[in-house]
Amino acid sequence: MKMNRGTSRVVILSLLSGVLVLGSLFIANHPAHAQATATAATVPTVSSVTLQVSGSAPALKTGLSEAINFSGPLVVTTTVMNDPTMGPSVVVSLDGRGVKGTGSTTGTVYINECEANLSRPFGATDAIKTTFAFFEDKPGAYLNAKTALVTLNLTYDTATMKLTKVTGSVSTL
Amino acid sequence: MHLTRERSKLRLREFLQIGLITGALVLVMTQGLGFFAPKVHADSVPTGLPASPTCFAPNPCIQKFTQPMPRFDVLPRNAVSTLVPAPTAQANTTQQAVDPALGGGFGPIEGRPPGPIWAHQGFTLFPPQVAVEVTQEGAKINNVYNPGVPASLNSGINPATPFHPRFHPFAPDQGPLALWTFNGTLPPKLVIGRYAEPILFREHNKLPVNRAQNGGFGINSISTHEHNGHHGAENDGFTGAFFFPNQFYDYHWPIVLAGFSTINTSATDPNAGTPDDFGGKRNVAGDWHETMSTHWFHDHMFSFTSQNVYKGMAGMFNIYSAKDRGNEAINDGVNLRLPSGTAKSWANLDYDVNIMLADKAWDANGQLAFNKFDFDGFIGDRMTVNLVDNPFFEVEARKYRFRILNAAVSRFFKLALSDGSTMIQIANDGNLLPHPVPLTELDEIGIAERYDIVIDFSRYAVGSKVWMVNLTQQTNGKKPDKDLSLQEALAGSDNDPVVGKFLEFRIVRQPAVQDVSQVPDPLIPNPVLPAVTRSRTFEFGSGGSQTTTGSTSFTGPWGIKTDNQGDMLNADYGRITAGPNFGTTEQWTLKNGGGGWDHPIHIHFEEGQIIARNGSANNVPAWEKGRKDVYRLRPSGSVTIKMQFRDWGGMFMEHCHNTVHEDNAMLMRWEIDNGGSPFLRPLPTPISTPQGVTFVPPDDILPTAF
């Protein structure tokens, strides 16, 4: 196939314009490009508070033969990331493995597997409800674990993004 | 063709018109018609697409829990002699005519790179004993569904009834361009394997030769990663070792315990073993602490993994061992007797259920839809379990094991039961944990992570129901918005339809036979690795840049910075980023350099142990204290792991498994360094074409690689 210079120019111009149009479309359909390149690494604000929590799980709710009374330390660690493009968010980490349960009648000791990492929006306050498994402190008892509910109210200093106060309790669903 | 000078003088309007037409044609040729799909706000669900319709006249509208969840479709295990041509150590380069749409001429019948470098390592030492032969092709009806269990254990599904490729009986069948799966059918496929019984996994590419015939997304060249096999790189599904329509690729999965070449080499340790067919076991070499259980396999095509996996190219692979036998009755002091069944010597699926979670979206015609232009990631608005929409599953009042895989593109899930009762996590990423962990809410499960859990349904009355619930709201591909309380999640989310109940368990009867399964403690303690000889740091973030050009490199918003040096680099599978010495143990710190984003980072080939999160061992939760292959960084977080590199050689990858991030340049290549013997140092990069694979030297080697 032979083409004269005019034809070649048309083809080249068409391809060139196609590339330009494609480029425009690509950029227009590329929402992450601007977001991603604008994102800069920031240093997270980490705070940790240990609070003593207590509460009770009635037998009616757990199916156990007695109420279980909980008490012990719950470590709440907040990691706030103030991303310049997404705004602040926080991961709330809980470690309540030090919380012990005691059978109200028999004195049976219950331990737990209370660890969690929760994604949460950041604000001046946050109310969290999460559950954990507890079970008798003896081999194999995890097979019959029961469920407890921990309720937390967190307060942040929104200027420093630090956790300033936590209150909490243990109960059941 | 002849144009006059006058006609060749284009006015601006004509210039733009031609440009638009040219651009459109190029887009359609390269991307299919999906580029022109309607766009809506990025943070709506599904990402950049209209909501998936749920009513397809004349059918009733789709309601949750109105269809059974199908078990996986168990792939046949055939004699190796059934493979024609017979498998070979080096790639079979017999020539065939190449379709003109693929460039014409002639090319090899096998797409594996040729020659000794990509020959199956250990092909003589571990000759294949089982053949699993599959195709990759467009959707069609399944007439050979094998759930591996009777209908009574598969929610009444009659396997003899043709199984349609659709997300719900009230939705249309997926067309052959919309859905691409193993064998072209649903349900997703399951490979059954056991230690010391090498599998030859032959995959035929039967996808359309025309790249534009893709239903708007996906590409017809493929590479299948066995996630996370301990075998040579030629069987790993390297992102650059892809093959084309009308070719096949032989993957040799030897299924060996890590350390087989240095530990327990005489196979005397009774814990290191594999089930036989008669209720017993036989010992194998290697470290039994490296026993693996729940794998999956999926496409890993360079820059197209998200589209192809979303399109259906994913299956699961259960590996059985002396410890994890798949028979709950055998009591020999080694078998852990996890919930499974008793009828067969091993690999009973009766009470051992594979679960694949994936959020999807579909268009007005009910065909699978995807937005490939949002590089944050993709979030769907329909929850599928084993690729059907919000199903139910019938169970007996006894213990079940569920092998849960997050096969989503960008979504994280946090799972709980609707009554808040306990699940016991027994494995993470295919590795049984040192100790079982009772949990009422699982941790957010990142993309590609696998959580094996046990649920004891004996606590429920026959006739009752309980639901699996997703607690995590996520409205974009960046990270989860928030984890909701169980009560909130049960109420649903206006912003995210995938929050809430998605799988209904119906307790239909008492167990047909006594439940003799156990969930013992300990399960599998961690292996003791040699002392760390080297540390490396990888920072994952945005603002990636590219220093190379050519077909092996890609430019995108994402990147990886290595050892705190240089730029955050875009992916280039021709670049060697790290070269750990063969046999050594290294400590790798994976850092999130991208602010509020989350990235689940996958390291191929070797399992790692997390020794610190954010710099402290105290931050490693109980369910992450085993071995893993996907490491969630969390916003601004870091994970420090240790791994030993042993037994096999070749080039492997490390990347974000938010596959949109991966595809847009958050991926790097590393390879085993043995100082040049027996492996080359560095390895040449394969350049795959339908006419054959050539090799070029690496186009970049980072200064700290070796």
Side-chain angles (χ1 to χ4, degrees):
Chain A
M1 183 185 295
K2 288 184 178 178
M3 286 189 291
N4 64 20
R5 290 177 62 187
T7 308
S8 303
R9 196 176 299 134
V10 169
V11 172
I12 291 168
L13 283 171
S14 299
L15 289 172
L16 178 63
S17 61
V19 168
L20 289 171
V21 172
L22 267 177
S24 306
L25 283 170
F26 184 72
I27 291 168
N29 282 283
H30 201 313
H33 184 73
Q35 295 164 0
T37 52
T39 302
T42 53
V43 178
T45 303
V46 181
S47 315
S48 190
V49 171
T50 301
L51 72 155
Q52 295 293 318
V53 292
S54 60
S56 181
L60 189 64
K61 291 291 188 80
T62 63
L64 297 169
S65 59
E66 58 183 338
I68 310 300
N69 298 316
F70 293 97
S71 65
L74 175 67
V75 182
V76 180
T77 303
T78 56
T79 304
V80 182
M81 169 51 61
N82 189 13
D83 188 288
T85 59
M86 287 186 266
S89 62
V90 57
V91 174
V92 179
S93 302
L94 307 179
D95 185 350
R97 288 172 293 172
V99 176
K100 294 285 189 288
T102 306
S104 59
T105 306
T106 64
T108 303
V109 175
Y110 289 81
I111 57 175
N112 72 73
E113 194 56 67
C114 178
E115 288 185 281
N117 295 292
L118 303 172
S119 300
R120 302 292 296 174
F122 179 76
T125 61
D126 192 11
I128 291 175
K129 290 187 174 185
T130 187
T131 57
F132 65 88
F134 69 95
F135 44 95
E136 272 191 68
D137 187 9
K138 67 179 186 182
Y142 55 85
L143 293 168
N144 297 305
K146 303 297 181 183
T147 304
L149 175 71
V150 60
T151 303
L152 296 171
N153 291 293
L154 287 70
T155 304
Y156 296 94
D157 179 332
T158 54
T160 64
M161 299 194 170
K162 290 195 169 179
L163 179 67
T164 57
K165 183 183 177 185
V166 189
T167 60
S169 62
V170 179
S171 59
T172 53
L173 283 170
Chain B
M1 182 183 289
H2 182 83
L3 293 178
T4 65
R5 178 174 291 273
E6 286 71 25
R7 287 193 64 193
S8 70
K9 289 179 180 173
L10 296 173
R11 290 174 298 186
L12 177 62
R13 191 177 64 184
E14 291 167 331
F15 175 82
L16 290 173
Q17 283 172 341
I18 293 171
L20 278 169
I21 293 166
T22 308
L25 284 172
V26 172
L27 274 174
V28 170
M29 284 189 292
T30 58
Q31 309 281 352
L33 292 168
F35 185 87
F36 298 101
K39 309 295 188 299
V40 293
H41 187 262
D43 274 4
S44 63
V45 180
T47 305
L49 298 174
S52 303
T54 54
C55 300
F56 299 95
N59 293 331
C61 293
I62 295 171
Q63 303 290 331
K64 285 186 173 182
F65 317 127
T66 54
Q67 65 173 328
M69 180 195 82
R71 299 284 196 116
F72 272 55
D73 188 5
V74 180
L75 288 169
R77 292 159 44 88
N78 298 320
V80 177
S81 59
T82 63
L83 294 174
V84 179
T88 50
Q90 292 188 21
N92 189 329
T93 56
T94 302
Q95 297 292 293
Q96 64 180 351
V98 176
D99 191 287
L102 295 166
F106 288 85
I109 60 174
E110 182 175 3
R112 181 162 46 115
I117 299 173
W118 285 77
H120 294 308
Q121 301 168 57
F123 198 66
T124 304
L125 189 60
F126 305 108
Q129 298 176 23
V130 171
V132 176
E133 191 166 19
V134 295
T135 62
Q136 191 59 252
E137 59 183 303
K140 62 184 183 183
I141 291 172
N142 187 353
N143 294 307
V144 290
Y145 174 34
N146 173 21
V149 295
S152 60
L153 293 170
N154 196 22
S155 303
I157 297 173
N158 178 0
T161 302
F163 200 100
H164 285 252
R166 59 193 179 197
F167 297 114
H168 192 279
F170 299 156
D173 281 12
Q174 295 297 300
L177 302 186
L179 187 75
W180 292 348
T181 70
F182 289 96
N183 289 348
T185 59
L186 298 181
K189 302 298 175 268
L190 176 64
V191 174
I192 299 290
R194 57 181 161 179
Y195 276 93
E197 188 176 60
I199 289 175
L200 197 295
F201 185 85
R202 174 168 291 179
E203 183 174 359
H204 300 269
N205 186 335
K206 291 192 174 181
L207 296 173
V209 293
N210 183 345
R211 280 194 173 186
Q213 297 295 307
N214 67 348
F217 61 94
I219 196 166
N220 60 0
S221 50
I222 54 178
S223 176
T224 296
H225 171 45
E226 200 273 87
H227 185 144
N228 193 40
H230 185 71
H231 45 227
E234 68 280 3
N235 306 304
D236 187 60
F238 184 68
T239 194
F242 47 87
F243 60 111
F244 295 86
N246 302 323
Q247 289 186 317
F248 70 87
Y249 193 121
D250 279 351
Y251 296 95
H252 175 226
W253 300 342
I255 319 181
V256 291
L257 290 171
F260 72 87
S261 55
T262 55
I263 297 173
N264 183 34
T265 53
S266 55
T268 54
D269 189 330
N271 284 302
T274 189
D276 66 21
D277 294 328
F278 313 102
K281 66 179 183 69
R282 64 183 176 90
N283 292 351
V284 302
D287 187 350
W288 65 273
H289 302 90
E290 295 280 10
T291 303
M292 296 194 279
S293 298
T294 305
H295 283 198
W296 69 302
F297 50 97
H298 61 85
D299 183 67
H300 215 303
M301 176 66 199
F302 188 55
S303 294
F304 285 89
T305 298
S306 59
Q307 298 176 39
N308 281 358
V309 174
Y310 181 79
K311 215 167 170 67
M313 297 186 195
M316 293 185 78
F317 178 24
N318 292 355
I319 303 175
Y320 296 90
S321 59
K323 301 297 291 184
D324 191 2
R325 199 77 58 90
N327 183 309
E328 64 193 42
I330 295 172
N331 184 11
D332 60 4
V334 173
N335 181 21
L336 293 168
R337 304 180 62 184
L338 296 166
S340 44
T342 59
K344 295 187 292 185
S345 174
W346 61 286
N348 289 285
L349 296 173
D350 300 13
Y351 308 106
D352 180 353
V353 184
N354 291 79
I355 297 273
M356 177 189 284
L357 304 180
D359 52 331
K360 302 288 184 187
W362 47 75
D363 63 18
N365 298 316
Q367 299 299 296
L368 194 61
F370 185 70
N371 175 6
K372 59 191 178 190
F373 296 104
D374 189 327
F375 298 166
D376 292 355
F378 179 78
I379 299 294
D381 63 344
R382 301 302 302 184
M383 182 63 154
T384 67
V385 185
N386 295 354
L387 292 181
V388 301
D389 185 87
N390 294 289
F392 66 82
F393 184 61
E394 295 179 352
V395 296
E396 296 179 352
R398 55 153 290 155
K399 292 193 289 295
Y400 279 70
R401 173 185 186 166
F402 294 97
R403 305 174 189 245
I404 302 172
L405 161 68
N406 180 350
V409 171
S410 304
R411 187 186 276 278
F412 296 77
F413 301 102
K414 185 174 177 65
L415 306 182
L417 291 172
S418 57
D419 63 348
S421 61
T422 307
M423 303 166 280
I424 302 175
Q425 186 166 351
I426 58 171
N428 195 324
D429 289 352
N431 301 294
L432 288 168
L433 289 163
H435 306 283
V437 184
L439 296 166
T440 52
E441 300 175 6
L442 305 184
D443 197 7
E444 288 173 2
I445 176 169
I447 302 98
E449 285 190 296
R450 284 135 287 144
Y451 287 178
D452 287 25
I453 62 168
V454 172
I455 300 176
D456 188 350
F457 294 103
S458 69
R459 60 183 171 238
Y460 302 107
V462 171
S464 61
K465 298 175 182 176
V466 66
W467 291 265
M468 189 76 87
V469 181
N470 174 32
L471 305 180
T472 297
Q473 175 183 301
Q474 188 169 351
T475 54
N476 59 50
K478 300 169 184 172
K479 67 176 183 61
D481 300 347
K482 58 181 175 181
D483 295 324
L484 304 170
S485 70
L486 178 59
Q487 188 178 23
E488 290 171 322
L490 288 170
S493 164
D494 291 338
N495 299 318
D496 182 3
V498 172
V499 163
K501 298 175 180 175
F502 64 88
L503 174 60
E504 179 176 277
F505 294 113
R506 299 177 177 177
I507 296 85
V508 294
R509 60 180 172 270
Q510 291 297 328
V513 295
Q514 185 186 0
D515 177 4
V516 295
S517 68
Q518 299 183 353
V519 187
D521 184 11
L523 292 164
I524 294 188
N526 281 343
V528 177
L529 302 182
V532 168
T533 57
R534 181 164 179 175
S535 297
R536 302 176 194 264
T537 301
F538 304 99
E539 182 179 338
F540 298 80
S542 56
S545 61
Q546 189 56 284
T547 59
T548 56
T549 57
S551 64
T552 64
S553 71
F554 189 83
T555 300
W558 302 106
I560 303 172
K561 179 188 282 188
T562 301
D563 293 332
N564 301 311
Q565 294 186 19
D567 294 330
M568 187 81 72
L569 292 176
N570 286 156
D572 178 355
Y573 65 83
R575 175 190 295 120
I576 302 172
T577 299
N581 280 320
F582 183 78
T584 63
T585 301
E586 293 199 357
Q587 175 176 303
W588 288 12
T589 297
L590 316 176
K591 294 168 57 179
N592 186 345
W597 300 76
D598 201 351
H599 301 293
I601 303 303
H602 174 41
I603 300 175
H604 286 226
F605 176 49
E606 295 289 14
E607 304 300 293
Q609 297 173 35
I610 300 179
I611 56 177
R613 270 196 172 275
N614 300 334
S616 171
N618 291 333
N619 295 331
V620 183
W623 56 87
E624 285 191 337
K625 287 182 174 169
R627 296 153 289 141
K628 279 183 68 61
D629 56 57
V630 179
Y631 311 93
R632 286 197 57 197
L633 301 188
R634 299 188 182 278
S636 77
S638 71
V639 177
T640 303
I641 63 172
K642 60 179 178 181
M643 292 182 298
Q644 187 179 8
F645 304 89
R646 51 184 165 176
D647 301 326
W648 306 99
M651 59 184 68
F652 299 93
M653 292 169 284
E654 174 182 335
H655 58 86
C656 181
H657 225 295
N658 178 331
T659 45
V660 173
H661 298 179
E662 169 191 341
D663 285 343
N664 292 285
M666 193 176 263
L667 175 147
M668 66 85 156
R669 158 185 164 186
W670 60 272
E671 63 188 48
I672 301 289
D673 174 29
N674 194 31
S677 177
F679 314 126
L680 293 178
R681 176 186 194 251
L683 287 165
T685 304
I687 306 296
S688 301
T689 74
Q691 290 72 29
V693 182
T694 57
F695 295 96
V696 297
D699 56 9
D700 192 12
I701 301 175
L702 295 190
T704 58
F706 291 108

